[in-house]
Amino acid sequence: MEQYELAEILIRSTQRQTWQPTFASAQLVVVTEMGSRLWYLDVDGIADDALLQHFYTAEEIGIELELITVGGKRLTGSGYLHANPRHQAAAIRGEGEITGL
């Protein structure tokens, strides 16, 4: 299991809306098991209520991501954003490969 602290996140919905939220902490976790590589993000302290409400009520939660780690790595991938407005948080489940690692 690999973990990366994130400095920046750019989210693009399937409808081409774009957000670059501020957040208290965000961590990318990559799990390699039996030849498969899965990844997800946990993001806490999201200040953008409109972003959280959008994905909390949306039927389509698919997104494209551009990430920058604290160490400066640039990563891209696709996934699904599961918003938790009550806790100002989101879980993003990766779909397919994350590039840049």
Side-chain angles (χ1 to χ4, degrees):
M1 181 167 72
E2 303 167 65
Q3 297 181 349
Y4 301 90
E5 291 296 321
L6 299 176
E8 292 182 36
I9 300 173
L10 180 70
I11 299 167
R12 189 171 298 110
S13 73
T14 54
Q15 295 83 25
R16 296 295 176 218
Q17 290 177 278
T18 302
W19 295 269
Q20 189 165 8
T22 57
F23 51 87
S25 66
Q27 186 174 63
L28 167 66
V29 178
V30 181
V31 179
T32 304
E33 187 175 282
M34 299 183 137
S36 295
R37 193 172 209 189
L38 309 170
W39 60 275
Y40 62 90
L41 272 71
D42 283 322
V43 187
D44 292 311
I46 298 172
D48 190 336
D49 291 330
L51 163 69
L52 293 172
Q53 284 302 319
H54 172 81
F55 283 99
Y56 186 69
T57 59
E59 288 185 31
E60 176 57 52
I61 59 171
I63 58 169
E64 298 291 324
L65 289 166
E66 294 178 26
L67 311 170
I68 299 177
T69 68
V70 168
K73 286 186 181 184
R74 293 184 177 272
L75 312 170
T76 59
S78 301
Y80 300 94
L81 194 150
H82 302 276
N84 185 338
R86 184 175 183 189
H87 293 104
Q88 292 185 308
I92 298 172
R93 179 176 45 92
E95 176 72 22
E97 233 178 285
I98 189 160
T99 59
L101 290 179

Coordinates of all heavy atoms in Angstrom, one line a residue:
M1 N 0.8 -1.2 0.0 CA 0.0 0.0 0.0 C 0.9 1.2 0.0 O 1.8 1.3 0.8 CB -0.9 0.0 1.2 CG -1.8 1.1 1.3 SD -3.2 1.0 2.5 CE -2.3 1.2 4.0
E2 N 0.6 2.1 -0.9 CA 1.3 3.4 -1.0 C 0.3 4.5 -0.6 O -0.8 4.5 -0.9 CB 1.8 3.7 -2.4 CG 2.7 2.6 -3.0 CD 2.9 2.7 -4.4 OE1 3.5 3.7 -4.9 OE2 2.4 1.9 -5.2
Q3 N 0.9 5.6 0.1 CA 0.0 6.7 0.4 C 0.7 8.0 0.0 O 2.0 8.1 0.2 CB -0.2 6.7 1.9 CG -1.0 5.5 2.4 CD -1.3 5.6 3.9 OE1 -0.7 6.4 4.6 NE2 -2.2 4.7 4.3
Y4 N 0.0 9.0 -0.5 CA 0.5 10.2 -0.9 C -0.4 11.3 -0.4 O -1.6 11.3 -0.5 CB 0.5 10.3 -2.4 CG 1.3 9.3 -3.1 CD1 0.7 8.0 -3.5 CD2 2.6 9.5 -3.4 CE1 1.5 7.0 -4.1 CE2 3.4 8.5 -4.0 CZ 2.8 7.3 -4.4 OH 3.5 6.3 -5.0
E5 N 0.2 12.3 0.3 CA -0.5 13.5 0.7 C -0.7 14.4 -0.5 O 0.3 14.6 -1.3 CB 0.2 14.3 1.8 CG 0.2 13.5 3.1 CD -1.1 13.3 3.7 OE1 -2.0 14.2 3.7 OE2 -1.4 12.2 4.3
L6 N -1.9 15.0 -0.7 CA -2.1 15.8 -1.8 C -2.1 17.3 -1.5 O -2.6 17.7 -0.4 CB -3.5 15.5 -2.5 CG -3.6 14.0 -2.9 CD1 -5.0 13.8 -3.4 CD2 -2.6 13.8 -4.0
A7 N -1.5 18.1 -2.4 CA -1.5 19.6 -2.2 C -2.6 20.2 -3.0 O -3.1 21.3 -2.6 CB -0.1 20.1 -2.7
E8 N -2.9 19.7 -4.2 CA -4.0 20.3 -5.0 C -4.8 19.2 -5.7 O -4.3 18.1 -6.0 CB -3.3 21.1 -6.2 CG -2.7 22.4 -5.7 CD -2.1 23.2 -6.8 OE1 -2.7 23.2 -7.9 OE2 -1.0 23.8 -6.6
I9 N -6.1 19.5 -5.9 CA -7.0 18.6 -6.6 C -7.8 19.5 -7.6 O -8.4 20.5 -7.2 CB -8.0 17.9 -5.6 CG1 -7.2 17.1 -4.6 CG2 -9.0 17.1 -6.4 CD1 -8.1 16.6 -3.5
L10 N -7.9 19.0 -8.8 CA -8.8 19.6 -9.8 C -9.8 18.5 -10.2 O -9.4 17.4 -10.6 CB -8.0 20.1 -11.0 CG -8.8 20.7 -12.1 CD1 -9.3 22.1 -11.7 CD2 -8.0 20.8 -13.4
I11 N -11.0 18.9 -10.1 CA -12.1 17.9 -10.4 C -12.9 18.4 -11.6 O -13.3 19.6 -11.6 CB -13.1 17.8 -9.2 CG1 -12.3 17.3 -7.9 CG2 -14.3 16.9 -9.5 CD1 -13.0 17.4 -6.6
R12 N -13.2 17.5 -12.5 CA -14.0 17.9 -13.7 C -15.1 16.8 -13.8 O -14.8 15.6 -13.9 CB -13.1 17.9 -15.0 CG -13.8 18.4 -16.2 CD -12.9 18.6 -17.4 NE -11.8 19.6 -17.1 CZ -10.5 19.2 -16.9 NH1 -10.1 18.0 -17.0 NH2 -9.6 20.2 -16.6
S13 N -16.3 17.3 -13.8 CA -17.5 16.4 -13.9 C -17.7 16.0 -15.3 O -17.1 16.5 -16.2 CB -18.7 17.1 -13.4 OG -19.2 18.0 -14.3
T14 N -18.5 15.0 -15.5 CA -18.8 14.5 -16.9 C -19.6 15.6 -17.7 O -19.6 15.5 -18.9 CB -19.7 13.2 -16.8 OG1 -20.8 13.4 -16.0 CG2 -18.8 12.0 -16.3
Q15 N -20.2 16.5 -17.0 CA -20.9 17.7 -17.6 C -19.9 18.8 -17.9 O -20.3 19.9 -18.2 CB -22.0 18.2 -16.8 CG -23.2 17.2 -16.6 CD -22.9 16.2 -15.5 OE1 -22.1 16.5 -14.5 NE2 -23.5 15.0 -15.5
R16 N -18.6 18.6 -17.6 CA -17.5 19.6 -17.8 C -17.5 20.7 -16.9 O -17.0 21.8 -17.2 CB -17.5 20.1 -19.3 CG -17.2 19.0 -20.3 CD -15.8 18.5 -20.0 NE -15.5 17.3 -20.9 CZ -14.8 16.3 -20.5 NH1 -14.3 16.2 -19.3 NH2 -14.6 15.3 -21.4
Q17 N -18.2 20.6 -15.7 CA -18.0 21.6 -14.7 C -16.7 21.3 -14.0 O -16.3 20.2 -13.8 CB -19.1 21.5 -13.6 CG -20.5 21.9 -14.1 CD -21.5 21.7 -13.1 OE1 -22.0 20.7 -12.9 NE2 -21.8 22.8 -12.4
T18 N -16.0 22.4 -13.5 CA -14.7 22.2 -13.0 C -14.6 22.9 -11.6 O -15.2 24.0 -11.4 CB -13.6 22.8 -13.9 OG1 -13.7 22.2 -15.2 CG2 -12.2 22.7 -13.3
W19 N -13.9 22.2 -10.7 CA -13.7 22.7 -9.3 C -12.3 22.5 -8.9 O -11.7 21.5 -9.3 CB -14.6 22.0 -8.3 CG -16.1 22.1 -8.4 CD1 -16.8 23.1 -7.8 CD2 -16.9 21.3 -9.2 NE1 -18.2 22.9 -8.2 CE2 -18.2 21.8 -9.0 CE3 -16.8 20.2 -10.0 CZ2 -19.4 21.2 -9.6 CZ3 -17.9 19.6 -10.6 CH2 -19.1 20.1 -10.4
Q20 N -11.7 23.4 -8.2 CA -10.4 23.2 -7.5 C -10.6 23.6 -6.1 O -10.3 24.7 -5.6 CB -9.4 24.1 -8.2 CG -8.0 23.8 -7.7 CD -6.9 24.4 -8.6 OE1 -7.1 25.2 -9.5 NE2 -5.7 24.0 -8.3
P21 N -11.1 22.6 -5.3 CA -11.5 22.9 -3.9 C -10.3 23.1 -3.0 O -9.3 22.5 -3.2 CB -12.3 21.7 -3.5 CG -11.7 20.6 -4.3 CD -11.4 21.2 -5.6
T22 N -10.5 24.0 -2.0 CA -9.6 24.0 -0.9 C -10.0 22.9 0.1 O -11.2 22.6 0.2 CB -9.6 25.4 -0.2 OG1 -10.9 25.7 0.3 CG2 -9.1 26.5 -1.2
F23 N -9.1 22.4 0.9 CA -9.4 21.3 1.8 C -8.3 21.3 2.9 O -7.2 21.8 2.8 CB -9.4 20.0 1.1 CG -8.1 19.7 0.2 CD1 -7.0 19.1 0.8 CD2 -8.1 20.1 -1.1 CE1 -5.9 18.9 0.0 CE2 -7.0 19.8 -1.9 CZ -5.9 19.2 -1.3
A24 N -8.7 20.7 4.0 CA -7.8 20.6 5.2 C -6.7 19.5 4.9 O -5.6 19.7 5.2 CB -8.6 20.3 6.4
S25 N -7.2 18.3 4.4 CA -6.2 17.3 4.2 C -6.8 16.4 3.1 O -8.0 16.2 2.9 CB -6.0 16.4 5.4 OG -7.1 15.8 5.8
A26 N -5.9 15.8 2.3 CA -6.3 14.8 1.2 C -5.2 13.8 1.1 O -4.0 14.1 1.0 CB -6.6 15.6 -0.1
Q27 N -5.6 12.6 1.0 CA -4.7 11.5 0.9 C -5.1 10.5 -0.2 O -6.3 10.1 -0.3 CB -4.6 10.7 2.2 CG -3.5 9.7 2.3 CD -3.4 9.1 3.6 OE1 -4.4 8.5 4.1 NE2 -2.3 9.3 4.3
L28 N -4.1 10.2 -1.1 CA -4.3 9.2 -2.1 C -3.7 7.9 -1.6 O -2.6 7.9 -1.1 CB -3.6 9.6 -3.4 CG -3.4 8.6 -4.5 CD1 -4.7 8.1 -5.1 CD2 -2.4 9.1 -5.5
V29 N -4.5 6.8 -1.7 CA -4.1 5.5 -1.3 C -4.1 4.6 -2.5 O -5.1 4.5 -3.2 CB -5.0 4.9 -0.1 CG1 -4.5 3.5 0.3 CG2 -5.0 5.9 1.1
V30 N -3.0 3.9 -2.7 CA -2.9 3.0 -3.8 C -2.6 1.6 -3.3 O -1.6 1.4 -2.5 CB -1.8 3.4 -4.8 CG1 -1.7 2.4 -6.0 CG2 -2.0 4.8 -5.3
V31 N -3.4 0.6 -3.6 CA -3.3 -0.7 -3.1 C -3.0 -1.6 -4.3 O -3.8 -1.7 -5.2 CB -4.6 -1.2 -2.4 CG1 -4.5 -2.6 -1.9 CG2 -4.9 -0.2 -1.2
T32 N -1.9 -2.4 -4.2 CA -1.6 -3.4 -5.2 C -1.7 -4.7 -4.6 O -1.1 -5.0 -3.6 CB -0.1 -3.2 -5.7 OG1 0.0 -1.8 -6.2 CG2 0.2 -4.2 -6.8
E33 N -2.6 -5.5 -5.2 CA -2.9 -6.9 -4.6 C -3.2 -7.8 -5.7 O -4.0 -7.6 -6.6 CB -4.1 -6.7 -3.7 CG -4.5 -8.0 -2.9 CD -5.6 -7.7 -1.9 OE1 -5.4 -7.1 -0.9 OE2 -6.7 -8.1 -2.3
M34 N -2.4 -8.9 -5.7 CA -2.6 -10.0 -6.7 C -2.6 -9.5 -8.1 O -3.5 -9.9 -8.9 CB -3.9 -10.8 -6.4 CG -3.9 -11.5 -5.1 SD -5.4 -12.4 -4.9 CE -4.7 -13.9 -4.2
G35 N -1.7 -8.6 -8.4 CA -1.6 -8.0 -9.8 C -2.6 -6.9 -10.1 O -2.5 -6.3 -11.2
S36 N -3.5 -6.6 -9.2 CA -4.4 -5.5 -9.5 C -4.0 -4.3 -8.7 O -3.4 -4.4 -7.6 CB -5.8 -5.9 -9.0 OG -6.3 -6.9 -9.8
R37 N -4.3 -3.1 -9.2 CA -3.9 -1.9 -8.6 C -5.2 -1.0 -8.4 O -5.8 -0.6 -9.4 CB -2.9 -1.1 -9.4 CG -2.2 0.0 -8.7 CD -1.1 0.5 -9.5 NE -0.1 1.1 -8.6 CZ 0.9 1.8 -9.0 NH1 1.1 2.0 -10.2 NH2 1.8 2.2 -8.1
L38 N -5.6 -0.8 -7.2 CA -6.8 0.0 -6.9 C -6.3 1.2 -6.2 O -5.3 1.3 -5.5 CB -7.7 -0.8 -5.9 CG -8.0 -2.2 -6.4 CD1 -8.8 -3.0 -5.2 CD2 -8.9 -2.2 -7.6
W39 N -7.1 2.3 -6.3 CA -6.8 3.5 -5.7 C -8.0 4.3 -5.3 O -9.1 4.1 -5.8 CB -5.9 4.4 -6.5 CG -6.5 4.8 -7.9 CD1 -6.4 4.1 -9.0 CD2 -7.1 6.0 -8.2 NE1 -7.1 4.8 -10.0 CE2 -7.5 6.0 -9.5 CE3 -7.5 7.1 -7.4 CZ2 -8.2 7.0 -10.1 CZ3 -8.2 8.2 -8.0 CH2 -8.5 8.1 -9.4
Y40 N -7.9 5.1 -4.2 CA -8.9 6.0 -3.8 C -8.4 7.2 -3.0 O -7.2 7.2 -2.7 CB -9.9 5.2 -2.8 CG -9.3 4.7 -1.6 CD1 -9.3 5.4 -0.4 CD2 -8.7 3.4 -1.5 CE1 -8.7 5.0 0.8 CE2 -8.2 2.9 -0.4 CZ -8.2 3.7 0.8 OH -7.6 3.2 1.9
L41 N -9.2 8.2 -2.9 CA -8.8 9.4 -2.2 C -9.8 9.7 -1.0 O -11.0 9.4 -1.1 CB -9.0 10.7 -3.1 CG -7.8 11.1 -4.0 CD1 -7.6 10.1 -5.1 CD2 -8.1 12.5 -4.5
D42 N -9.3 10.1 0.1 CA -10.0 10.6 1.2 C -9.7 12.1 1.3 O -8.6 12.5 1.5 CB -9.7 9.9 2.5 CG -10.3 8.5 2.6 OD1 -11.5 8.4 2.1 OD2 -9.7 7.6 3.1
V43 N -10.8 12.9 1.3 CA -10.6 14.4 1.3 C -11.4 14.9 2.5 O -12.6 14.7 2.5 CB -11.0 15.1 0.0 CG1 -10.6 16.5 0.0 CG2 -10.3 14.4 -1.2
D44 N -10.8 15.6 3.4 CA -11.5 16.2 4.6 C -11.3 17.7 4.6 O -10.4 18.3 4.1 CB -10.9 15.6 5.9 CG -11.2 14.2 6.0 OD1 -12.3 13.8 5.9 OD2 -10.2 13.4 6.3
G45 N -12.3 18.4 5.2 CA -12.3 19.8 5.4 C -12.5 20.6 4.1 O -11.9 21.6 3.8
I46 N -13.4 20.1 3.2 CA -13.7 20.7 1.9 C -14.5 22.0 2.2 O -15.6 21.9 2.8 CB -14.4 19.8 1.0 CG1 -13.5 18.6 0.7 CG2 -14.8 20.5 -0.3 CD1 -14.2 17.5 -0.1
A47 N -14.0 23.1 1.8 CA -14.7 24.4 2.0 C -15.8 24.7 1.0 O -16.6 25.6 1.2 CB -13.7 25.5 2.1
D48 N -15.8 24.0 -0.1 CA -16.7 24.3 -1.2 C -18.1 23.5 -1.0 O -18.2 22.4 -1.5 CB -16.1 23.9 -2.5 CG -16.9 24.4 -3.7 OD1 -18.1 24.7 -3.6 OD2 -16.2 24.6 -4.8
D49 N -19.0 24.2 -0.4 CA -20.3 23.6 -0.2 C -21.1 23.3 -1.5 O -21.8 22.3 -1.6 CB -21.2 24.5 0.7 CG -20.7 24.6 2.1 OD1 -20.1 23.6 2.6 OD2 -21.0 25.6 2.8
A50 N -20.9 24.1 -2.5 CA -21.6 23.9 -3.8 C -21.1 22.6 -4.4 O -21.9 21.8 -5.0 CB -21.4 25.1 -4.7
L51 N -19.8 22.3 -4.3 CA -19.2 21.1 -4.9 C -19.8 19.9 -4.2 O -20.3 19.0 -4.8 CB -17.7 21.1 -4.7 CG -17.0 19.8 -4.9 CD1 -17.1 19.3 -6.3 CD2 -15.6 19.9 -4.4
L52 N -19.8 19.9 -2.8 CA -20.4 18.8 -2.1 C -21.8 18.6 -2.3 O -22.3 17.5 -2.5 CB -20.1 19.0 -0.6 CG -18.6 19.0 -0.2 CD1 -18.5 19.4 1.3 CD2 -18.0 17.6 -0.4
Q53 N -22.6 19.7 -2.4 CA -24.1 19.5 -2.6 C -24.3 19.0 -4.0 O -25.2 18.2 -4.2 CB -24.8 20.9 -2.4 CG -25.0 21.2 -1.0 CD -25.8 20.2 -0.2 OE1 -26.8 19.6 -0.7 NE2 -25.4 19.9 1.0
H54 N -23.5 19.5 -5.0 CA -23.7 19.0 -6.4 C -23.6 17.5 -6.4 O -24.4 16.8 -7.0 CB -22.7 19.6 -7.3 CG -22.7 19.1 -8.7 ND1 -23.6 19.4 -9.6 CD2 -21.9 18.1 -9.3 CE1 -23.4 18.7 -10.8 NE2 -22.4 17.9 -10.5
F55 N -22.5 16.9 -5.9 CA -22.3 15.5 -6.0 C -23.1 14.7 -5.0 O -23.3 13.5 -5.2 CB -20.8 15.2 -5.8 CG -20.0 15.5 -7.1 CD1 -19.3 16.7 -7.2 CD2 -20.0 14.6 -8.2 CE1 -18.6 17.0 -8.4 CE2 -19.4 14.9 -9.4 CZ -18.7 16.1 -9.4
Y56 N -23.6 15.3 -4.0 CA -24.5 14.6 -3.0 C -25.8 14.3 -3.6 O -26.4 13.3 -3.4 CB -24.6 15.5 -1.7 CG -25.4 14.8 -0.6 CD1 -24.8 13.7 0.1 CD2 -26.6 15.3 -0.3 CE1 -25.5 13.1 1.1 CE2 -27.3 14.7 0.8 CZ -26.8 13.6 1.5 OH -27.5 13.0 2.5
T57 N -26.3 15.2 -4.5 CA -27.6 15.1 -5.1 C -27.5 14.6 -6.6 O -28.6 14.2 -7.1 CB -28.4 16.4 -5.0 OG1 -27.6 17.4 -5.7 CG2 -28.6 16.8 -3.6
A58 N -26.4 14.6 -7.2 CA -26.3 14.2 -8.6 C -26.5 12.7 -8.8 O -26.1 11.9 -8.0 CB -24.9 14.6 -9.1
E59 N -27.1 12.4 -9.9 CA -27.2 11.0 -10.4 C -25.9 10.6 -11.0 O -25.5 9.4 -10.9 CB -28.4 10.9 -11.4 CG -29.7 11.0 -10.7 CD -30.8 10.7 -11.7 OE1 -30.6 9.9 -12.6 OE2 -31.9 11.3 -11.5
E60 N -25.2 11.5 -11.7 CA -23.9 11.2 -12.3 C -22.8 11.7 -11.5 O -22.6 12.9 -11.3 CB -23.9 11.8 -13.7 CG -22.6 11.6 -14.4 CD -22.2 10.1 -14.6 OE1 -23.0 9.3 -15.1 OE2 -21.0 9.8 -14.2
I61 N -22.0 10.8 -10.9 CA -20.9 11.2 -10.0 C -19.5 10.9 -10.5 O -18.5 11.0 -9.8 CB -21.1 10.6 -8.6 CG1 -21.1 9.0 -8.6 CG2 -22.4 11.1 -7.9 CD1 -21.0 8.3 -7.3
G62 N -19.5 10.6 -11.8 CA -18.2 10.3 -12.5 C -17.4 11.6 -12.7 O -18.0 12.6 -12.9
I63 N -16.1 11.5 -12.5 CA -15.2 12.7 -12.6 C -13.9 12.3 -13.2 O -13.5 11.1 -13.3 CB -14.9 13.3 -11.2 CG1 -14.3 12.3 -10.2 CG2 -16.2 13.9 -10.6 CD1 -13.7 12.8 -9.0
E64 N -13.2 13.3 -13.7 CA -11.8 13.3 -14.1 C -11.0 14.1 -13.1 O -11.5 15.1 -12.6 CB -11.6 13.9 -15.5 CG -12.4 13.2 -16.6 CD -11.8 11.8 -16.9 OE1 -10.6 11.6 -16.8 OE2 -12.6 10.9 -17.2
L65 N -9.9 13.6 -12.7 CA -9.0 14.2 -11.7 C -7.7 14.6 -12.2 O -7.1 13.9 -13.0 CB -8.8 13.3 -10.5 CG -10.0 13.0 -9.6 CD1 -9.7 11.8 -8.8 CD2 -10.3 14.2 -8.8
E66 N -7.2 15.7 -11.7 CA -5.8 16.1 -11.9 C -5.3 16.4 -10.4 O -5.9 17.2 -9.7 CB -5.6 17.3 -12.7 CG -6.0 17.1 -14.2 CD -5.9 18.3 -15.0 OE1 -5.0 19.2 -14.7 OE2 -6.6 18.4 -16.0
L67 N -4.2 15.7 -10.0 CA -3.8 15.8 -8.7 C -2.3 16.3 -8.7 O -1.5 15.9 -9.6 CB -3.9 14.5 -8.0 CG -5.2 13.7 -8.1 CD1 -5.0 12.3 -7.5 CD2 -6.3 14.5 -7.3
I68 N -1.9 17.0 -7.6 CA -0.5 17.3 -7.3 C -0.2 16.9 -5.9 O -0.9 17.3 -5.0 CB -0.2 18.8 -7.5 CG1 -0.5 19.2 -9.0 CG2 1.3 19.0 -7.2 CD1 -0.3 20.6 -9.3
T69 N 0.8 16.0 -5.7 CA 1.1 15.6 -4.4 C 2.0 16.6 -3.7 O 2.5 17.6 -4.4 CB 2.0 14.2 -4.5 OG1 3.2 14.5 -5.0 CG2 1.2 13.2 -5.2
V70 N 2.1 16.5 -2.4 CA 2.9 17.4 -1.6 C 4.4 17.4 -2.2 O 5.1 18.4 -2.2 CB 2.9 17.0 -0.1 CG1 3.9 17.8 0.7 CG2 1.5 17.3 0.4
G71 N 4.8 16.2 -2.7 CA 6.2 16.1 -3.3 C 6.3 16.6 -4.7 O 7.4 16.6 -5.3
G72 N 5.2 17.1 -5.3 CA 5.2 17.7 -6.6 C 4.9 16.7 -7.8 O 4.9 17.2 -8.9
K73 N 4.5 15.5 -7.5 CA 4.1 14.6 -8.6 C 2.8 15.0 -9.1 O 1.9 15.4 -8.4 CB 4.0 13.1 -8.1 CG 5.2 12.5 -7.8 CD 5.0 11.0 -7.5 CE 6.3 10.3 -7.2 NZ 6.1 8.9 -6.9
R74 N 2.6 15.0 -10.5 CA 1.4 15.3 -11.1 C 0.7 14.0 -11.6 O 1.3 13.2 -12.3 CB 1.6 16.2 -12.3 CG 2.1 17.5 -11.9 CD 2.3 18.5 -13.2 NE 2.7 19.8 -12.7 CZ 1.9 20.7 -12.4 NH1 0.6 20.5 -12.4 NH2 2.3 21.9 -12.0
L75 N -0.5 13.8 -11.1 CA -1.2 12.5 -11.4 C -2.6 12.8 -12.1 O -3.2 13.9 -11.8 CB -1.5 11.8 -10.1 CG -0.3 11.6 -9.2 CD1 -0.7 11.1 -7.8 CD2 0.7 10.7 -9.8
T76 N -3.1 11.9 -12.9 CA -4.4 12.0 -13.5 C -5.1 10.7 -13.4 O -4.5 9.6 -13.4 CB -4.3 12.5 -14.9 OG1 -3.6 11.5 -15.7 CG2 -3.7 13.8 -15.1
G77 N -6.4 10.8 -13.3 CA -7.2 9.6 -13.3 C -8.7 9.9 -13.4 O -9.1 11.1 -13.4
S78 N -9.5 8.9 -13.4 CA -11.0 9.0 -13.4 C -11.5 8.2 -12.2 O -10.9 7.3 -11.7 CB -11.6 8.3 -14.7 OG -11.1 8.9 -15.8
G79 N -12.7 8.7 -11.7 CA -13.3 8.0 -10.6 C -14.7 8.5 -10.3 O -15.4 9.0 -11.2
Y80 N -15.2 8.2 -9.1 CA -16.5 8.5 -8.7 C -16.4 9.2 -7.4 O -15.8 8.7 -6.4 CB -17.3 7.2 -8.5 CG -17.5 6.5 -9.9 CD1 -16.6 5.5 -10.2 CD2 -18.4 6.9 -10.8 CE1 -16.7 4.8 -11.4 CE2 -18.5 6.2 -12.0 CZ -17.6 5.2 -12.3 OH -17.7 4.6 -13.5
L81 N -17.1 10.4 -7.3 CA -17.0 11.2 -6.1 C -18.2 11.0 -5.2 O -19.4 11.2 -5.6 CB -16.9 12.7 -6.5 CG -16.5 13.7 -5.3 CD1 -15.7 14.8 -5.9 CD2 -17.6 14.1 -4.5
H82 N -18.0 10.5 -4.0 CA -19.0 10.3 -3.0 C -18.9 11.4 -2.0 O -18.0 11.4 -1.1 CB -18.9 8.9 -2.4 CG -18.9 7.8 -3.4 ND1 -20.0 7.3 -3.9 CD2 -17.9 7.2 -4.0 CE1 -19.7 6.3 -4.8 NE2 -18.4 6.3 -4.9
A83 N -19.8 12.4 -2.0 CA -19.8 13.6 -1.2 C -20.4 13.3 0.2 O -21.4 12.6 0.3 CB -20.4 14.7 -1.8
N84 N -19.9 13.9 1.2 CA -20.5 13.9 2.6 C -20.5 15.3 3.1 O -19.6 15.8 3.8 CB -19.6 13.0 3.5 CG -20.2 12.8 4.8 OD1 -21.0 13.6 5.3 ND2 -19.8 11.8 5.5
P85 N -21.5 16.1 2.6 CA -21.6 17.5 3.0 C -21.7 17.7 4.5 O -21.1 18.7 5.0 CB -22.9 18.0 2.4 CG -23.3 17.0 1.4 CD -22.7 15.7 1.8
R86 N -22.3 16.9 5.2 CA -22.4 17.0 6.7 C -21.1 17.1 7.4 O -20.9 17.8 8.4 CB -23.2 15.9 7.3 CG -23.5 16.0 8.7 CD -24.4 14.9 9.2 NE -24.7 15.1 10.6 CZ -25.3 14.2 11.3 NH1 -25.8 13.1 10.8 NH2 -25.5 14.4 12.6
H87 N -20.1 16.3 6.9 CA -18.8 16.3 7.5 C -17.7 17.0 6.6 O -16.5 16.9 6.9 CB -18.3 14.8 7.7 CG -19.1 14.2 8.7 ND1 -20.1 13.2 8.4 CD2 -19.1 14.3 10.1 CE1 -20.7 12.8 9.5 NE2 -20.1 13.4 10.6
Q88 N -18.2 17.8 5.6 CA -17.3 18.5 4.7 C -16.2 17.6 4.2 O -15.0 17.9 4.2 CB -16.7 19.7 5.4 CG -17.7 20.8 5.7 CD -17.1 22.0 6.3 OE1 -16.3 22.0 7.2 NE2 -17.4 23.2 5.7
A89 N -16.6 16.4 3.7 CA -15.6 15.4 3.2 C -16.1 14.8 1.9 O -17.3 14.9 1.5 CB -15.4 14.4 4.3
A90 N -15.2 14.1 1.3 CA -15.5 13.3 0.1 C -14.6 12.1 0.0 O -13.4 12.1 0.4 CB -15.4 14.1 -1.2
A91 N -15.2 11.0 -0.5 CA -14.4 9.8 -0.8 C -14.4 9.7 -2.3 O -15.5 9.8 -2.9 CB -14.9 8.6 -0.2
I92 N -13.3 9.5 -2.9 CA -13.3 9.3 -4.4 C -12.7 8.0 -4.7 O -11.6 7.6 -4.3 CB -12.4 10.4 -5.1 CG1 -13.0 11.8 -4.8 CG2 -12.3 10.2 -6.6 CD1 -12.1 13.0 -5.2
R93 N -13.5 7.2 -5.4 CA -13.1 5.8 -5.7 C -12.6 5.8 -7.1 O -13.2 6.2 -8.1 CB -14.3 4.9 -5.6 CG -14.0 3.4 -6.0 CD -15.2 2.5 -5.8 NE -16.4 3.1 -6.3 CZ -16.9 2.8 -7.5 NH1 -16.3 2.1 -8.4 NH2 -18.1 3.4 -7.9
G94 N -11.3 5.4 -7.3 CA -10.7 5.4 -8.6 C -11.3 4.4 -9.5 O -11.7 3.3 -9.1
E95 N -11.3 4.7 -10.8 CA -11.7 3.8 -11.8 C -10.6 3.7 -12.8 O -10.2 4.6 -13.5 CB -13.0 4.4 -12.5 CG -13.5 3.6 -13.7 CD -14.2 2.3 -13.3 OE1 -14.6 2.2 -12.2 OE2 -14.2 1.4 -14.2
G96 N -10.1 2.5 -13.0 CA -9.0 2.2 -13.9 C -7.6 2.7 -13.3 O -7.5 2.8 -12.1
E97 N -6.7 3.1 -14.2 CA -5.4 3.4 -13.8 C -5.3 4.9 -13.4 O -6.0 5.7 -13.9 CB -4.5 3.2 -15.0 CG -3.3 2.4 -14.7 CD -2.4 2.2 -16.0 OE1 -2.8 1.4 -16.8 OE2 -1.4 2.8 -16.0
I98 N -4.3 5.1 -12.5 CA -3.9 6.5 -12.2 C -2.6 6.7 -12.8 O -1.7 5.9 -12.6 CB -4.0 6.8 -10.7 CG1 -3.8 8.3 -10.4 CG2 -3.0 6.0 -9.9 CD1 -4.2 8.8 -9.1
T99 N -2.4 7.7 -13.6 CA -1.1 7.9 -14.3 C -0.3 8.9 -13.5 O -0.7 9.8 -12.9 CB -1.4 8.4 -15.7 OG1 -2.1 9.7 -15.7 CG2 -2.2 7.4 -16.5
G100 N 1.0 8.7 -13.7 CA 2.0 9.6 -13.1 C 2.8 9.1 -11.9 O 3.7 9.7 -11.4
L101 N 2.4 7.9 -11.5 CA 3.2 7.3 -10.3 C 4.4 6.6 -10.8 O 4.5 6.0 -11.8 CB 2.3 6.3 -9.5 CG 1.1 7.0 -8.7 CD1 0.3 5.9 -8.1 CD2 1.7 7.9 -7.7

